[in-house]
Amino acid sequence: MNSTHLFQMMDQISEAPGAVLELRRFVLDLAMRGKLVDQDPQDEPASELLRKAKEAKDKLGAARRPVRQASRRFASQENRFKLPSGWVLSTLGDLTVKITDGAHKTPTYVDKGVPFVSVKDFSSGSLSLASTRFIPYEEHAQLYKRCDPRRGDILIGRIGTIGKAVLVNTDVEFSLFVSVGLIRFSHEVMLPEFFRMLLNSPPTEAEFDRIKIGGGTHTNKLNLSDLHSVVVALPPIAEQERIVAKVQATMELLDKVEAARVEKRKLGNRFTTSSFAKLTELAGSDVAGFVEHSRFCMDNLTRLTATDEQVEAARGVLGDLAVRGRLVQQNEAEESPREWLDDSKIVDSAGEPYSIPESWAWVRVGEIGVARLGKMLDKAKNRGVSRRYLRNVNVRWFDFDLSDVREMPIEDSEVEVLALEPGDVLVCEGGEPGRAAVWDGRETEMYFQKALHRVRFPRGVDPRYFVTVLRVAARDGRILSHVTGVTFKHLTGRGLSSLLIPLPPLLEQHRIMQRLDILNHSIDLLKAEIGVADSSRDRLLRAVLHDAIGGI
């Protein structure tokens, strides 16, 4: 094993996706195969621990289950584990004095009483009684006769989230639900912390995968009888102590690596956020400053777009600049919307959300477009020919997902009113209010449901520019001010019609979208480069792990 090389490469491999989690699993894998610490021939062999385990069972009068089935597997398991000197293979049934589970029926819940623990109460990796439900003392007393968790026992997820094991670290009495298994053992045979690590290690996870039932559409489950047959490798008690100390020290190191990685990402995100925010701020007030800071952002583009989140932030700032008139040059010869709009339809500059060029105008959607909701889905009332229609789940920002398009009856008299045409903008009324895309006519006949607004512009508006404006308004929260409801949010027709949008000359809108297409393509390339870099780091991580594992 070349674990030295592993730790020398830590800075490089820790940036791989999920690297620290992989490293934690790797450490536990090494530990439970006897590859993390050295063996000491002076240690009392683990075979002596099996004798002590039997004595502990006999002393408590615990029922012993036949282990012939597990014993027959030991030959093949020895090849998989390659046991170090002084270790032995055994089963949970032989090493423990009690394996049981919690209540098999839902108890009576009360406001105050005895904590009733389910898997969710230790899903974080340690047992917490902070948010348990409670059962009556009398009901607990009956349950406790069979299943009596106490400090030093192991709790294990048995149904649903299977295999996650934690130590009981409290003297407070509590009861268990059926989804939780209880394992009691002699602390002379296994150190509690070592046993927890053993049950959470990859070798034991493989055993749980072997015995579990369910999967697919059925809930995973570990039967109590099968838990007795789980094969584990047991080291001497003195080596268990060394393993626990080494694992804990290594996990502390990985905690620091993860904390440093998170802090590095936070700093990078703050740098990106502040740089882009300054760019947007200067766009509306300081032309010279904007030009200078734009050059700074371009010079530092690699640092500003080092993660997927930062790349998406760059995409967002491009939209901000586009709707503020800072992405392309204005052309005084082009027809301004002020020339074809009535003065009454132009909003006074005092009410505008941000500054725009003089040739632009602030207008409300309802003054320049015609919006309406689609057809109500009512199986009892709808009549006509079954036709394909779009729902809000089909609408993505700037695009459509037609993998699940449904049909509903639409009468011939409704066809002209509800049929989509290329250039129509569909805006989500609920779900994510305001999410929108331009229908491109990819299907010759398509209709839309009442959960969507269809917006048509008689003149002067590039539909793709309008969607860009909506995306910016969604990012900066302006759309929310036009939404009703708290739990279920709705962008009503009135709310959509009253939304203020910045409107440039039509030819400038076209240039803006052409420029955005080019820049977004560049961003797509940046995102692809990040994916390649992540893949390279992932391959490096696996290569170093493979090298560290050596002949395991």
Side-chain angles (χ1 to χ4, degrees), residues 52-63:
K52 292 180 181 180
K54 180 180 182 304
E55 289 179 354
K57 257 187 189 303
D58 293 342
K59 182 177 180 180
L60 293 174

Side-chain angles (χ1 to χ4, degrees), residues 110 238 263 433 505:
V110 293
E263 183 60 25

Side-chain angles (χ1 to χ4, degrees), residues 364-432:
R364 300 191 185 278
V365 173
E367 300 290 358
I368 57 171
V370 179
R372 66 153 296 155
L373 289 169
K375 183 178 176 66
M376 172 74 77
L377 179 62
D378 188 335
K379 294 182 179 180
K381 296 181 179 179
N382 288 348
R383 298 289 185 270
V385 177
S386 186
R387 306 175 195 267
R388 284 163 66 82
Y389 72 98
L390 297 179
R391 301 166 289 152
N392 60 3
V393 296
N394 300 120
V395 179
R396 301 286 180 262
W397 279 112
F398 303 100
D399 200 6
F400 294 91
D401 177 4
L402 303 188
S403 60
D404 181 21
V405 176
R406 300 182 181 179
E407 296 184 355
M408 70 172 159
I410 295 177
E411 298 182 40
D412 291 342
S413 60
E414 298 174 306
V415 167
E416 185 176 352
V417 176
L418 298 173
L420 292 177
E421 298 177 359
D424 285 347
V425 178
L426 290 180
V427 183
C428 292
E429 185 268 349
E432 184 187 353

Side-chain angles (χ1 to χ4, degrees), residues 88-370:
V88 295
L89 283 183
S90 186
T91 62
L92 291 185
D94 273 358
L95 292 174
T96 60
V97 296
K98 186 172 189 176
I99 298 179
T100 188
D101 58 7
H104 281 231
K105 66 176 183 178
T106 303
T108 303
Y109 293 116
V110 293
D111 292 335
K112 293 183 179 180
V114 178
F116 189 67
V117 169
S118 64
V119 174
K120 71 175 179 60
D121 297 308
F122 55 88
S123 59
S124 64
S126 61
L127 175 63
S128 172
L129 304 182
S131 59
T132 62
R133 304 184 77 172
F134 298 95
I135 62 174
Y137 292 97
E138 298 78 14
E139 196 164 350
H140 163 71
Q142 291 300 315
L143 295 173
Y144 207 69
K145 292 177 182 178
R146 183 180 68 85
C147 181
D148 55 340
R150 61 185 70 162
R151 182 182 290 275
D153 288 347
I154 288 281
L155 303 183
I156 187 168
R158 198 179 71 77
I159 300 174
T161 304
I162 64 172
K164 182 181 288 293
V166 298
L167 279 170
V168 176
N169 56 356
T170 178
D171 294 313
V172 175
E173 281 196 12
F174 59 88
S175 279
L176 300 175
F177 194 43
V178 65
S179 60
V180 183
L182 167 67
I183 303 178
R184 182 164 299 150
F185 56 101
S186 168
H187 293 188
E188 288 186 311
V189 176
M190 286 182 292
L191 300 178
E193 184 59 22
F194 172 82
F195 193 24
R196 184 194 68 80
M197 292 176 179
L198 172 66
L199 291 175
N200 287 310
S201 69
T204 308
E205 285 180 2
E207 281 290 284
F208 290 149
D209 282 341
R210 176 183 62 78
I211 67 169
K212 74 180 181 183
I213 60 175
T217 58
H218 301 284
T219 303
N220 287 325
K221 179 180 178 182
L222 298 175
N223 284 330
L224 290 181
S225 57
D226 294 329
L227 277 173
H228 285 79
S229 72
V230 167
V231 178
V232 294
L234 183 68
I237 197 78
E239 189 169 344
Q240 292 180 34
E241 294 177 355
R242 297 195 297 274
I243 288 172
V244 168
K246 184 67 172 180
V247 169
Q248 289 177 339
T250 306
M251 294 303 180
E252 288 177 5
L253 171 63
L254 291 176
D255 287 342
K256 293 177 181 178
V257 170
E258 176 67 5
R261 189 192 69 81
V262 170
E263 183 60 25
K264 179 181 178 182
R265 179 156 291 197
K266 284 182 179 178
L267 289 172
N269 286 339
R270 283 201 290 269
F271 176 62
T272 297
T273 301
S274 62
S275 297
F276 287 161
K278 184 177 180 180
L279 192 65
T280 302
E281 177 186 350
L282 293 172
S285 59
D286 184 348
V287 175
F290 173 76
V291 171
E292 181 180 353
H293 194 63
S294 297
R295 188 176 297 112
F296 169 82
C297 289
M298 291 303 298
D299 291 343
N300 291 274
L301 190 59
T302 301
R303 289 179 60 197
L304 290 170
T305 56
T307 68
D308 285 344
E309 295 86 350
Q310 292 166 3
V311 165
E312 291 308 308
R315 208 185 296 275
V317 79
L318 289 177
D320 286 339
L321 297 177
V323 301
R324 284 168 168 77
R326 292 300 187 185
L327 210 56
V328 300
Q329 291 288 331
Q330 281 73 52
N331 186 339
E332 294 181 0
E334 293 172 355
E335 182 185 37
S336 167
R338 296 178 179 275
E339 297 178 34
W340 57 269
L341 281 171
D342 293 338
D343 290 342
S344 61
K345 295 182 179 181
I346 298 175
V347 176
D348 187 275
S349 59
E352 62 186 28
Y354 43 80
S355 298
I356 56 175
E358 291 184 4
S359 59
W360 294 28
W362 281 101
V363 296
R364 300 191 185 278
V365 173
E367 300 290 358
I368 57 171
V370 179

